[in-house]
Amino acid sequence: MIQINRVPSSTGYTWIRQGIWLFKQSPFTFLMLVFLYIFVVQMSMFIPIVGFVIVLLLSPVLSVGFLTACQKVIRKEVVRPTIYLSPLKDYAGPIRTRLIQLGSIYTLLIVLLSVVAAQFIDVEKIIPLITEGKLSGPDLVKEMYFAMCVAVILYLPIATLMWFSPQLIAWKNLSIPKALFGSWMAFWLNKGAFFVYFSTWGIILIAIPLFLGAFFEAIQLSEYASFVITPLSMAGITVLYCSFFATWKGCFIDNSEKIPAQS
């Protein structure tokens, strides 16, 4: 029987501090894993449609793999890049099948999200922005904020279903419907904590880089902005990934690896 914790809103900030603590236990390991994931996603773009679909299908497997790495770091065990695919090797056939089936559901939801989002977002502006950085100044801020707001609103229901479901399948051996429901219920019961969690990460990963970019542009050193923003963003994204494990430990009663409340 899976038990879900109900935590106060302030726990959202605690999860971030725990993510920082976990990152500090093995910074190179986590930076390597996140860089590898980003590299694989970028390489998948060279295989039109098929590459992107494969990444989406494997998303639950990769998620369990990264959180398994978090467990190993806490245990002071060696983590290798192959940890991402460990669920395909270490778990029984039915669990592996369910993880791939969950990936199929995730892929369909993302395709649906993309179709709906295209009705609101000016794709002709966003694609050059992402691929070539052609937009700048007020246009950049306007287009990026609008696109991000639409994406967040549409993705939130998917996030509530997918946030914990891979772990619930792999670690608690739940069926897909029960895992999706358990993930949604954990989100709903702790919506205050998740609001604080996502709001704080929004400031760290979006507002601060935009401010720094505007600052460098104001002092006419915009060409050097990436030397500051890129490493900070990479470190921030890595801590974000580490904090995923903290949300799991905070929302579900689990007597395995403990992480401290303070960073």
Side-chain angles (χ1 to χ4, degrees), residues 113 117 120-123 125-127 129-130 139-155:
L113 180 151
F120 301 95
I121 298 174
D122 190 340
V123 180
K125 288 185 178 180
I126 293 298
I127 291 180
L129 168 62
I130 295 174
D139 287 336
L140 169 63
V141 176
K142 180 180 177 180
E143 291 298 330
M144 284 301 295
Y145 266 115
F146 181 73
M148 286 188 293
C149 287
V150 171
V152 167
I153 292 172
L154 293 177
Y155 187 72

Side-chain angles (χ1 to χ4, degrees), residues 2 22 48 64 75 77 89 93 99 126 128 130 135 137 171 180 191 195 209 216-217 240 243 246 256-258 260:
I2 302 300
L22 184 53
V64 173
R75 296 172 189 163
E77 297 177 3
K89 179 184 66 174
L99 287 174
I126 293 298
I130 295 174
L135 296 181
W171 294 345
L180 292 171
K191 51 187 176 292
F195 176 79
F216 275 94
E217 187 170 350
L240 168 66
S243 70
S256 59
E257 291 76 13
K258 301 292 185 181

Side-chain angles (χ1 to χ4, degrees), residues 237-258:
I237 291 171
T238 305
V239 174
L240 168 66
Y241 276 52
C242 292
S243 70
F244 292 168
F245 187 69
T247 65
W248 163 262
K249 302 298 293 184
C251 289
F252 291 90
I253 295 177
D254 188 345
N255 294 321
S256 59
E257 291 76 13
K258 301 292 185 181

Side-chain angles (χ1 to χ4, degrees), residues 57-66 84-88 99-100 166:
L57 284 173
L58 290 177
S59 289
V61 173
L62 301 177
S63 175
V64 173
F66 185 86
Y84 273 124
L85 298 179
S86 62
L88 297 179
L99 287 174
I100 298 299

Side-chain angles (χ1 to χ4, degrees), residues 2 92 94-95 98 167-175 178:
I2 302 300
I95 291 179
R98 269 177 267 157
Q167 301 93 280
L168 289 171
I169 289 173
W171 294 345
K172 301 300 181 181
N173 198 24
L174 295 188
S175 65
K178 288 182 178 179

Side-chain angles (χ1 to χ4, degrees), residues 2-15:
I2 302 300
Q3 290 182 280
I4 300 175
N5 289 326
R6 300 189 68 166
V7 299
S9 298
S10 59
T11 305
Y13 178 63
T14 300
W15 290 337

